[in-house]
Amino acid sequence: MESEAGTNRTAVAEFILLGLVQTEEMQSVVFVLFLFAYLVTAGGNLSILAAVLVEPKLHTPMYFFLGNLSVLDVGCITVTVPAMLGRLLSHKCTISYDACLSQLFFFHLLAGMDCFLLTAMAYDRFLAICRPLTYSTRMSQTVQRMLVAASWACAFTNALTHTVAISTLNFCGPNEVNHFYCDLPQLFRLSCSSTQLNELLLFAVGFIMAGAPLVLIITSYSHVAAAVLRIRSVEGRKKAFSTCGAHLTVVCLFYGTGIFNYMRLGSEDASDKDKGVGVFNTVINPMLNPLIYSLRNPDVQGALWRIFLGRRSLT
């Protein structure tokens, strides 16, 4: 630790990430499991991205957003898991102050982007099902790119706000982070400054950046559900519910774990629960998304089979 009395800068030069387990035998098990999860997640999401890029049938707005979501999932797990695997291999648990803040920034950038992209996907389903006659003009390629660009801008603002805010805190005492990556709740507990304003900022920004998209998603799917129930064709109703059901499953997993993680600030006995939620956010969610979107989607399944077999679509 660096002693810098009389200044407003942090005195902690590095943090110690305690990780998920302490015993060497369990660390080996965790390494194998997380390496497998990383390879499966990266392979699954990149396969979906490849299918969206090369399959003409998937050149639609819904799959454009799904391809972007796959990129985000690979990014989200890459921000946290490879660094953890490296620490398990080297038996070095430290992370520098700057690296910790960088990890926090990119994690919140990608998680925020995930939040806004799910909203854009809900809006896309609303237009496709409730406004089919004007869908092609309202969801043109220009609109799609504008939605993605706006999502990146909002996510960047959110991540930068939290990173700058936490950089104003002083860390002059304990430097052990009871987690496997750097995140706001764990760093708040280590600060020797008052974190009241930071916690208020987290709630306020979270309410705007996550609450508003959630309201839009619920509103969109309320209209979608009403429209689907009016469809007379059983097959058409089944297809609509299948497409929207996959998206709603991802939304529930994403928001459920996010709310559990960030709405319990100040809880002293939450460390182990935080680790479980962290694993869900950074590993399980990105790994499940390709399965959720492909298992019940014959178009994606067909495109993946054609890619693996080296065939091109005739359409």
Side-chain angles (χ1 to χ4, degrees), residues 10 33 37 44 77 103 106 112 152 174 186 195 278:
T10 181
L33 289 176
I77 195 171
Q103 186 181 59
F106 284 108
W152 276 114
Q186 290 73 37
T195 61

Side-chain angles (χ1 to χ4, degrees), residues 162 197-211 263:
H162 289 307
L197 288 177
N198 295 76
E199 292 179 9
L200 287 174
L201 179 67
L202 179 59
F203 278 111
V205 174
F207 181 79
I208 297 170
M209 295 290 194
M263 295 299 110

Side-chain angles (χ1 to χ4, degrees), residues 233-248:
S233 166
V234 175
E235 189 63 30
R237 193 183 307 166
K238 181 180 177 182
K239 184 177 181 180
F241 270 128
S242 176
T243 303
C244 298
H247 183 230
L248 280 174

Side-chain angles (χ1 to χ4, degrees), residues 8 97 101 104-105 157-171 184 187-188 191 193-195 197-202 205:
N8 193 35
Y97 175 83
L101 262 60
L104 184 147
F105 170 81
T157 303
N158 174 58
L160 187 63
T161 299
H162 289 307
T163 306
V164 171
I166 203 163
S167 69
T168 63
L169 297 179
N170 292 319
F171 295 92
L184 294 172
L187 293 180
F188 286 166
S191 175
S193 311
S194 172
T195 61
L197 288 177
N198 295 76
E199 292 179 9
L200 287 174
L201 179 67
L202 179 59
V205 174

